[in-house]
């Protein structure tokens, strides 16, 4: 009997050790390793400026994802050469994560999933009437958080730009001849504020005509380039996001060589419908992008946006925070894209 009890005791101790060892392995196994996380940004600001501002995001992501059970060895931040290039990178799996506008997401949603929508400070002005924007300059930030924004058609200090602004501020409607006689700066065709919604505004106001019908429209590689051309008189009108003049107010004088302020020398001549905010989207083809990792990324970015250091990083895009997004949030963008595709066919 004693011998049997001894054997049972040894077995029990062995089993206890085995289960204990198994528990240790399970605990260690809950931390998943990601060798490299590739995060891409669109070039809506100067690329060097974006790279510098977002450098701390590397460690912030590592730390927050560690809290979600993921060890990330390396975070690589890349600024795409264009909005379209970032969409292509997401589809190819070269980019794991992309901070892209809604229009770019919709255009490339066969290869990308939206996981978050950015929130921004609202603005002191939110009107369909361009004269209201001009009568209440300068535009200021509001403490109210917004999930959308406007695109503005802004006339500059050139003779033609001032002529268009004078008509708008006198309460007159611009004719197609007025619009078409100006030199325009636009962005790439997947840019919501720099192409898509201005295209829709033109269609709504000028019997279906759009950006492709403009006689003098040149594509810029960044909003900074647009404002530089506006300041020099190379173009009379540009299209941009509603708070862009706040972002370029200093450069208007220091780099673009204007003596008067950007608020004195520019006027709004058109206001587009509301645009849903930027997305954080992930690649559908990335090998690391499991449902669990998507959830971890969502929480990581939400948490980062609540920290002082994180707020500084995401301020490069005027983001204030993030909320969980679904594909259907961008159905209006899909409608916009459809309208543009059909228009181009015609």
């Amino acid at each position: 009997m004693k011998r049997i009890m001894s054997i049972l005791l040894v077995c029990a101790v062995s089993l206890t050790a085995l289960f204990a060892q198994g528990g240790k392995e399970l605990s260690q196994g809950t931390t998943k390793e990601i060798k490299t996380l590739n995060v891409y940004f669109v070039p809506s600001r100067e690329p060097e400026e974006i790279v510098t501002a977002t450098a701390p995001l590397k460690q912030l992501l590592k730390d927050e994802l560690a809290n979600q059970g993921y060890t990330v060895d390396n975070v690589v931040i890349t600024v795409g050469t264009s909005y379209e290039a970032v969409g292509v990178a997401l589809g190819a799996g070269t980019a794991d994560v992309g901070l892209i506008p809604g229009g770019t997401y919709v255009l490339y949603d066969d290869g990308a999933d939206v996981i978050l929508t950015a929130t921004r400070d609202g603005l002191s002005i939110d009107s369909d009437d361009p004269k209201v924007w001009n009568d209440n300059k300068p535009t200021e930030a509001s403490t109210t958080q917004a999930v959308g924004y406007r695109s503005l058609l802004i006339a500059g200090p050139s003779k033609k730009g001032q002529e268009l602004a004078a008509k708008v501020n006198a309460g007159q409607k611009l004719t197609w001849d007025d619009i078409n006689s100006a030199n325009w700066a636009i962005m790439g065709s997947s840019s919501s504020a720099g192409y898509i919604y201005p295209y829709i505004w033109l269609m709504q106001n000028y019997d279906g005509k759009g950006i492709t019908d403009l006689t003098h429209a040149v594509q810029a590689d960044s909003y900074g380039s647009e404002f530089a051309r506006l300041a020099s008189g190379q173009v009379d009108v540009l299209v941009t996001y509603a708070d862009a003049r706040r972002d370029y107010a200093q450069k208007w004088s220091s780099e673009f060589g204007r003596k008067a302020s950007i608020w004195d020398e520019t006027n709004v001549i058109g206001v587009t419908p509301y645009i849903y905010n930027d997305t954080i989207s992930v690649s559908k083809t990335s090998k690391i992008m499991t449902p669990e990792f998507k959830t971890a990324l969502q929480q990581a970015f939400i948490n980062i946006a609540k920290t002082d250091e994180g707020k500084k990083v995401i301020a490069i895009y005027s983001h204030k925070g993030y909320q969980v997004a679904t594909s259907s949030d961008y159905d209006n963008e899909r409608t916009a894209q459809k309208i543009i595709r059909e228009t181009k066919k015609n």
Side-chain angles (χ1 to χ4, degrees), residues 131-152:
K131 189 175 184 300
V132 172
W133 292 77
N134 298 332
D135 288 344
N136 292 279
K137 293 186 294 185
T139 307
E140 303 287 355
S142 167
T143 56
T144 303
Q145 294 295 291
V147 293
Y149 62 104
R150 305 275 192 168
S151 171
L152 301 180

Side-chain angles (χ1 to χ4, degrees), residues 21-36:
Q21 180 66 23
K24 182 179 180 182
E25 290 175 356
L26 179 61
S27 176
Q28 291 175 340
T30 58
T31 299
K32 303 176 181 67
E33 184 177 8
I34 301 293
K35 291 291 185 183
T36 302

Side-chain angles (χ1 to χ4, degrees), residues 20 26 32 61 106 115 132 170 190 243 255 261 267 282 286 297 304 340:
L26 179 61
K32 303 176 181 67
L61 274 172
V106 167
I115 61 170
V132 172
S190 72
D243 52 342
E255 293 187 21
S261 78
N267 285 276
V282 297
S286 169
L297 280 168
I304 286 170
I340 291 174

Side-chain angles (χ1 to χ4, degrees), residues 55-167:
L57 182 62
K58 298 177 182 181
Q59 191 59 50
L60 291 171
L61 274 172
K62 287 181 181 181
D63 293 343
E64 283 298 336
L65 286 170
N67 293 336
Q68 306 301 317
Y70 288 86
T71 297
V72 180
D73 296 335
N74 191 29
V75 176
V76 177
I77 293 177
T78 302
V79 180
T81 55
S82 66
Y83 288 52
E84 293 79 7
V86 178
V88 170
L90 285 167
T94 308
D96 302 306
V97 180
L99 281 82
I100 58 177
T104 308
Y105 158 64
V106 167
L107 193 61
Y108 293 94
D109 64 357
D110 56 338
D113 278 327
V114 62
I115 61 170
L116 293 167
T117 295
T119 61
R120 285 187 172 104
D121 282 340
L123 294 175
S124 57
I125 309 168
D126 185 19
S127 172
D128 294 319
D129 186 350
K131 189 175 184 300
V132 172
W133 292 77
N134 298 332
D135 288 344
N136 292 279
K137 293 186 294 185
T139 307
E140 303 287 355
S142 167
T143 56
T144 303
Q145 294 295 291
V147 293
Y149 62 104
R150 305 275 192 168
S151 171
L152 301 180
L153 288 69
I154 297 176
S158 67
K159 182 178 179 181
K160 174 59 69 172
Q162 293 296 299
E163 175 188 316
L164 298 178
K167 289 191 72 171

Side-chain angles (χ1 to χ4, degrees), residues 3 5 36 45 87-88 106 133 136 142 173 206 230 238 250 261 276 295 297 330 345:
R3 185 176 181 184
M5 290 299 293
T36 302
R45 302 284 287 271
V88 170
V106 167
W133 292 77
N136 292 279
S142 167
K173 179 176 172 56
Y206 299 103
L230 193 72
L238 61 73
Q250 183 175 352
S261 78
Y276 216 68
T295 301
L297 280 168
Y330 292 86
K345 288 179 182 178

Side-chain angles (χ1 to χ4, degrees), residues 180-192:
N180 196 38
S181 62
N183 293 314
W184 289 66
I186 61 171
M187 295 294 287
S189 60
S190 72
S191 170
S192 297

Side-chain angles (χ1 to χ4, degrees), residues 32 65 68 70 288-298:
K32 303 176 181 67
L65 286 170
Q68 306 301 317
Y70 288 86
I288 67 173
M289 205 55 61
T290 63
E292 294 79 15
F293 190 48
K294 289 180 189 177
T295 301
L297 280 168
Q298 285 175 323

